[in-house]
Amino acid sequence: MSYIEFKNVCKEYKMGEVKIKALNNANFQIEKGELVVIVGPSGAGKTTALNILGGMDTATSGKVIVDNKEITGLKNKELIQYRRNAIGFVFQFYNLVQNLTAKENVELATQICHDSLEPEKVLEKVGLKERIDNFPSQLSGGEQQRVAIARAIAKNPKLLLCDEPTGALDYKTGKQILKLLQDTARKENMTVLIITHNGALAPMADKVIHFKNGTAEKIEINENPVPIEQIEW
Amino acid sequence: MKKALLKDNIKEIKNTYKRFISILLMAFLGVGFFAGIRASSPDMVDKIDKYYIEQNVYDIEVISTLGLTQEDVDELSKIDGVAEINGTYEMDGEVNIDNKEIITKVISISDINQCVLTEGELPKNENECVVEESFLTSNQKKIGDTIEVEIENTTNDEGEEKEYLKQKEMKIVGTVQSPLYISRDRGSSNLGSGKVNYYIYISKDNINVPEIYTMIYLKIEDYDKYETSSKAYEDKVEEVKNKIEEIQEQREKARYDALVETATNKVTEAEDTLNTEKQEAEDKISQAEQELEKGKQEIIDSENEINASEKKANTEFANAQKQITEAEKTIKANEEQLAQKEEEANSQIQELEQQKQTLESQLEQVKSGLEQITTEYTRSNRSFEKSESYNRRKIIIRRN
């Protein structure tokens, strides 16, 4: 049995009379420590799948199992605990707290979960040792995204979910970020899921999941992932 | 709360303190307003409760078209649940100030529904009254001024028409607030414009027909334990009211009967008087008739007498005529005699006249002689006086 299993997951949004199917019988498995890239056009259901996996949304039907735990049947309170302890989330637009410094932003995450890592060390790891007491407004986009990643990693989660982490960044910075994520997955043996619409990134992953019209249309297993430095797009 | 989250909150407040304070103030305002609204209703009830107890305001009022009597008061006070009872007088009156008709409710001062005295003092005797503050201000009157209150005459139980007040002219001695009129509305009247403008409180002593109350005010037992307008209070009042209504009909009949009886008695009395007086009058008439009869007889008698006297008089008259003729004859004879004697007297008078003339000439002679003597005397007297003065002078020298 795989570490993460997505079984016949459906998600419907009701807009009055109209029903929109965001996910339609999506199926995939992910093993522990894998770096997974999810690709697909807009509206294919990538983000919905990630949100359900991260416990931020619930499936209409189907099963999601993470580390032998079925999260589709969890109650709201259990879902909160799951989100706190098992998931690290990186957003496209960082979602940092503007009033807090980089360190405090990381602390905000570490203070609410159990076996968290030291904020300073994590920030050092992402290369922001010098900027530890700066506010988000004083950081560049790439630095901000690195703070966001540090915040996600510091929780020592089972899963690191990244929704378009490079979407708002330039090529070079984006590359740095992706390298950071790839390194994290390799060194910490963390399971990392990255959503991107950039098909060129596929070679860096252990597994590539192609989404189309709400289903995982194609799953490729990459026996020899390429380090990010070698990928050009 | 976790440290970082707390920090975030504090920083958020610091960065947006103006907004924070505004929202805080709004919240305070909202809370205060809400609390005020919630508290004011029970406060108002408490206040009116206290006021009603202090002013001893009535619970039930009884009025009647025929007026109410002490008997009614006695009967009502026997009813279970009635704690206090008081008969009062309330009439609509008219005050004329500067040719302006002012309709007032004239109320007697009593223990139930005590007024709040705002200025001056309560009326102590029949020529004093108190008014409400606005009466003074809107009519340019002040305490100590006199007003005249006109009230329609009334009839007492004996059916006599009487003035309602003993003293129409009263002095304003103070201002009050009546618990009967909490709102500005003073009710309606059948006088003037039909709207009562003010109330005036007067002393009970000024009521001219004190045996008829216009209203009876009742207080129920434990009135101070009920909350105004509460269900328990309404129920209790209703209960007492029902008991009063049980004796209502009986009291109405009693009052009606009493009035009718007085009236019937009066009629009977009047009939008696009529009968006795009629009898008397009849007696008098018959007596008078008798007298008349007697008088007639007297007239006849007198006529007879007159006739007899006339005859007698006629004969006497004839006799007298005869005597007169005789007497005339005698007079004529006497007249002739008189003329004769007159002639005689005249000749004597002539003789005496001649004698008088001789006497007068003699008197003339005497007078001239006397004159001569007087001149003679004067002359001799003068010479005497001369010699006399001469002598006196001589004497004076000698003395020196």
Side-chain angles (χ1 to χ4, degrees):
Chain A
M1 196 172 178
S2 306
Y3 191 61
I4 295 166
E5 282 197 48
F6 237 65
K7 280 187 190 166
N8 301 325
V9 176
C10 290
K11 177 68 186 174
E12 282 176 359
Y13 292 106
K14 270 184 193 169
M15 301 284 285
E17 292 294 298
V18 191
K19 280 182 189 173
I20 294 163
K21 269 201 165 166
L23 281 180
N24 192 9
N25 283 324
N27 286 296
F28 58 84
Q29 286 101 37
I30 295 168
E31 301 304 325
K32 192 171 165 62
E34 271 184 333
L35 176 67
V36 181
V37 169
I38 299 172
V39 289
S42 270
K46 307 180 301 273
T47 305
T48 310
L50 206 69
N51 283 347
I52 289 169
L53 194 60
M56 289 188 286
D57 208 343
T58 50
T60 315
S61 66
K63 267 186 185 178
V64 177
I65 293 163
V66 177
D67 197 10
N68 296 321
K69 198 171 175 187
E70 192 184 328
I71 58 162
T72 36
L74 289 180
K75 283 178 201 152
N76 209 15
K77 262 198 164 166
E78 293 167 319
L79 216 52
I80 290 172
Q81 286 304 317
Y82 168 72
R83 274 205 300 268
R84 275 193 185 179
N85 296 316
I87 304 296
F89 219 105
V90 179
F91 301 93
Q92 184 178 359
F93 296 107
Y94 335 128
N95 285 4
L96 294 175
V97 179
Q98 297 294 312
N99 291 320
L100 299 177
T101 61
K103 188 186 154 198
E104 284 162 352
N105 262 292
V106 179
E107 278 173 345
L108 195 64
T110 58
Q111 280 165 0
I112 58 167
C113 63
H114 295 311
D115 30 53
S116 53
L117 306 173
E118 287 264 335
E120 287 91 347
K121 281 183 185 163
V122 180
L123 279 167
E124 203 184 331
K125 215 182 279 176
V126 298
L128 287 173
K129 198 187 173 189
E130 309 302 318
R131 314 300 303 270
I132 220 162
D133 287 323
N134 282 87
F135 288 98
S137 54
Q138 296 162 337
L139 299 171
S140 72
E143 284 167 335
Q144 284 189 52
Q145 190 63 298
R146 275 188 275 168
V147 174
I149 292 166
R151 186 175 61 179
I153 295 167
K155 286 166 76 183
N156 199 14
K158 292 173 186 167
L159 270 176
L160 185 61
L161 307 177
C162 311
D163 192 356
E164 301 265 16
T166 60
L169 299 172
D170 62 274
Y171 172 76
K172 207 178 158 192
T173 330
K175 227 173 184 179
Q176 282 174 12
I177 295 297
L178 289 169
K179 171 149 177 37
L180 182 62
L181 289 171
Q182 199 181 29
D183 290 351
T184 310
R186 298 283 176 263
K187 285 177 192 159
E188 315 287 335
N189 196 25
M190 198 176 277
T191 315
V192 179
L193 270 80
I194 301 168
I195 286 181
T196 180
H197 53 264
N198 190 352
L201 296 179
M204 71 177 270
D206 298 315
K207 192 178 261 176
V208 182
I209 302 169
H210 293 269
F211 257 78
K212 206 174 180 188
N213 294 329
T215 47
E217 201 186 41
K218 196 167 89 185
I219 298 170
E220 288 176 67
I221 293 171
N222 201 353
E223 294 296 342
N224 298 305
V226 184
I228 193 74
E229 291 89 338
Q230 295 169 21
I231 299 172
E232 301 278 338
W233 70 86
Chain B
M1 204 187 281
K2 296 291 194 289
K3 215 177 127 213
L5 190 62
L6 192 68
K7 247 185 216 171
D8 176 42
N9 288 343
I10 290 165
K11 280 179 183 168
E12 185 72 37
I13 291 170
K14 261 189 199 164
N15 290 342
T16 58
Y17 71 95
K18 282 177 193 161
R19 205 187 309 163
F20 180 78
I21 288 167
S22 306
I23 293 170
L24 201 70
L25 284 177
M26 274 188 259
F28 279 148
L29 198 71
V31 168
F33 189 72
F34 181 71
I37 295 272
R38 286 302 298 256
S40 60
S41 164
D43 278 359
M44 282 160 90
V45 172
D46 278 358
K47 174 78 190 158
I48 198 87
D49 265 350
K50 203 168 151 248
Y51 181 74
Y52 280 162
I53 289 167
E54 268 173 12
Q55 304 314 130
N56 210 19
V57 175
Y58 73 95
D59 295 308
I60 299 170
E61 70 176 349
V62 180
I63 54 173
S64 163
T65 47
L66 283 175
L68 296 149
T69 60
Q70 187 58 41
E71 244 175 84
D72 293 318
V73 173
D74 293 344
E75 285 297 319
L76 285 169
S77 61
K78 282 181 206 159
I79 287 171
D80 203 26
V82 173
E84 263 180 65
I85 185 158
N86 211 328
T88 58
Y89 313 94
E90 272 189 44
M91 292 298 282
D92 293 342
E94 205 183 295
V95 182
N96 204 319
I97 294 171
D98 304 334
N99 290 327
K100 212 170 70 187
E101 257 183 24
I102 297 163
I103 308 301
T104 58
K105 195 63 120 175
V106 182
I107 307 167
S108 73
I109 288 199
S110 70
D111 291 341
I112 292 182
N113 305 327
Q114 287 167 3
C115 311
V116 182
L117 189 67
T118 48
E119 213 187 329
E121 52 186 13
L122 289 173
K124 285 194 210 73
N125 53 42
E126 58 193 43
N127 50 26
E128 289 179 343
C129 70
V130 284
V131 297
E132 55 185 309
E133 185 90 49
S134 57
F135 179 89
L136 295 182
T137 50
S138 53
N139 296 308
Q140 281 89 46
K141 289 269 172 191
K142 56 186 189 301
I143 290 175
D145 285 353
T146 309
I147 50 169
E148 189 172 337
V149 182
E150 284 284 352
I151 294 182
E152 223 175 299
N153 285 353
T154 185
T155 42
N156 65 3
D157 280 359
E158 274 71 49
E160 300 164 67
E161 188 164 307
K162 285 205 154 185
E163 299 227 334
Y164 200 78
L165 295 181
K166 289 180 190 160
Q167 279 289 333
K168 278 190 204 169
E169 278 196 21
M170 286 176 283
K171 200 173 120 190
I172 303 169
V173 293
T175 57
V176 289
Q177 285 171 351
S178 172
L180 292 174
Y181 299 101
I182 287 173
S183 69
R184 178 57 228 170
D185 188 34
R186 300 277 177 270
S188 57
S189 163
N190 50 13
L191 290 177
S193 64
K195 198 168 153 283
V196 177
N197 304 110
Y198 303 101
Y199 49 78
I200 294 177
Y201 272 83
I202 59 166
S203 163
K204 258 186 189 174
D205 302 339
N206 199 6
I207 306 293
N208 204 19
V209 198
E211 66 272 18
I212 306 171
Y213 297 122
T214 57
M215 318 212 145
I216 294 177
Y217 286 118
L218 303 173
K219 300 222 65 177
I220 57 166
E221 265 173 10
D222 304 329
Y223 54 81
D224 48 348
K225 292 188 182 120
Y226 295 102
E227 188 179 87
T228 306
S229 301
S230 66
K231 178 89 172 57
Y233 172 76
E234 301 282 350
D235 287 350
K236 178 72 186 169
V237 169
E238 191 66 29
E239 184 193 319
V240 178
K241 198 181 128 207
N242 287 338
K243 280 182 193 157
I244 293 170
E245 276 166 359
E246 277 168 28
I247 66 158
Q248 180 186 4
E249 208 170 308
Q250 175 217 327
R251 288 309 312 157
E252 280 169 2
K253 198 171 176 307
R255 175 83 180 127
Y256 177 77
D257 287 352
L259 282 180
V260 168
E261 202 189 317
T262 329
T264 320
N265 284 347
K266 275 195 134 188
V267 172
T268 329
E269 211 173 286
E271 271 175 353
D272 284 353
T273 326
L274 177 68
N275 285 341
T276 46
E277 272 175 13
K278 201 173 162 193
Q279 191 60 47
E280 253 169 55
E282 273 170 359
D283 286 353
K284 270 189 189 162
I285 289 168
S286 56
Q287 209 179 323
E289 272 173 350
Q290 274 171 12
E291 263 168 34
L292 192 65
E293 205 62 33
K294 222 197 260 170
K296 269 183 186 164
Q297 192 56 50
E298 266 170 23
I299 289 168
I300 293 166
D301 287 353
S302 317
E303 272 176 348
N304 288 345
E305 218 170 291
I306 288 166
N307 285 342
S309 313
E310 207 180 1
K311 254 181 226 165
K312 198 175 155 197
N314 279 346
T315 49
E316 271 173 17
F317 185 69
N319 283 348
Q321 199 89 24
K322 227 183 267 171
Q323 276 174 351
I324 288 168
T325 332
E326 267 169 40
E328 273 177 347
K329 272 181 197 162
T330 324
I331 289 167
K332 223 174 250 175
N334 284 346
E335 268 179 349
E336 275 164 22
Q337 222 173 343
L338 186 66
Q340 217 172 344
K341 284 204 176 156
E342 207 176 58
E343 251 170 77
E344 274 173 34
N346 278 346
S347 61
Q348 274 173 352
I349 287 168
Q350 259 171 353
E351 218 170 299
L352 284 170
E353 203 82 2
Q354 275 171 354
Q355 281 175 358
K356 192 187 163 189
Q357 269 171 0
T358 27
L359 279 173
E360 271 174 352
S361 61
Q362 280 170 354
L363 186 67
E364 207 69 24
Q365 275 175 346
V366 172
K367 267 183 186 169
S368 61
L370 191 65
E371 228 169 286
Q372 237 170 349
I373 292 164
T374 318
T375 39
E376 207 67 27
Y377 172 73
T378 326
R379 210 180 289 156
S380 61
N381 213 18
R382 240 179 248 151
S383 58
F384 173 73
E385 267 172 15
K386 258 182 209 167
S387 63
E388 183 88 327
S389 62
Y390 184 75
N391 286 344
R392 214 179 288 158
R393 222 177 286 158
K394 254 187 189 166
I395 290 161
I396 293 163
I397 295 164
R398 220 185 339 214
R399 265 185 179 179
N400 281 339

